[in-house]
Amino acid sequence: SSSAKARRASSVAQRARSKVAARRARTRLRAIEEAARPVPPVVEAPMSSEDLARGHEIVARVEAAVAMSDLAEAESALAAGRLAWAELQADTNIDPPLAFAFDTAVEAAREAMGERQRERQLAQERAQSVAREQADRVAICDEIEQLDGESSADRVAELRARWDSLPPIPAEFAASLTRRFQ
């Protein structure tokens, strides 16, 4: 089939009156010949024991970033590991199992850092919420302390209702604020 195509393209290329048709036929003939040419298998040299040890050490460093509690330190370790990996790739052909281990370690480190970032954000949101709740209670206490006169009993009742409608406060603030309120 490919030899028949090659004969037709060769025939067209030789008998063509148009330069464009001859050029197209020669291009098609080259493509057919290249496709028919056997491709020698690429044999990659195995990694040297030094490069293999270096690769495992880089993977171990990236895997260690998963357990780091300091987000900046983990990001720095991941960046250093990726740089070292790029340098190793420039020096040698990486064994596929080692490349898979590195990719897996990088993904795990990214997921762990993302989880730590979400935890940090939730902690900040909780702290802000507690601060707002505490600020509401402190404002009520401040207002009660400044009350005087006949209408103060009605206002204290309103403020008590507002105090009671607030969500429960954390134990570390509850005692001192409750004492102040009472």
Side-chain angles (χ1 to χ4, degrees):
S1 159
S2 65
S3 62
K5 289 181 184 178
R7 280 193 301 271
R8 267 185 269 138
S10 175
S11 173
V12 170
Q14 291 171 357
R15 292 182 294 135
R17 292 185 188 141
S18 165
K19 289 182 180 181
V20 173
R23 193 174 323 121
R24 285 183 184 160
R26 282 192 301 272
T27 302
R28 180 170 284 172
L29 181 61
R30 276 193 299 267
I32 292 170
E33 289 171 352
E34 287 177 12
R37 193 175 317 138
V39 178
V42 177
V43 178
E44 293 184 10
M47 290 179 71
S48 69
S49 59
E50 294 86 23
D51 288 337
L52 194 57
R54 193 168 132 205
H56 283 295
E57 188 267 329
I58 293 169
V59 169
R61 278 191 286 164
V62 171
E63 287 173 341
V66 172
M68 293 179 181
S69 59
D70 183 11
L71 188 59
E73 185 181 347
E75 288 173 347
S76 176
L78 179 60
R82 291 176 55 96
L83 178 62
W85 188 258
E87 290 171 355
L88 179 65
Q89 281 182 317
D91 294 342
T92 187
N93 291 325
I94 307 290
D95 287 340
L98 185 60
F100 180 77
F102 177 76
D103 292 340
T104 303
V106 167
E107 187 62 31
R110 285 184 179 155
E111 286 177 11
M113 287 187 299
E115 184 62 30
R116 277 198 274 319
Q117 182 66 29
R118 285 187 292 280
E119 289 170 358
R120 178 186 291 170
Q121 188 174 5
L122 284 173
Q124 288 175 343
E125 289 171 3
R126 279 192 297 267
Q128 289 171 349
S129 175
V130 166
R132 278 192 304 274
E133 291 170 10
Q134 186 177 2
D136 291 342
R137 291 180 189 279
V138 168
I140 291 172
C141 291
D142 288 344
E143 192 171 338
I144 289 173
E145 290 172 347
Q146 295 178 7
L147 288 176
D148 63 347
E150 296 174 9
S151 64
S152 62
D154 294 335
R155 185 65 185 144
V156 168
E158 290 172 18
L159 292 172
R160 179 174 294 281
R162 199 166 108 201
W163 178 278
D164 292 339
S165 70
L166 292 174
I169 58 175
E172 64 264 16
F173 305 116
S176 62
L177 280 175
T178 304
R179 247 189 328 269
R180 184 174 174 202
F181 176 74
Q182 290 172 351

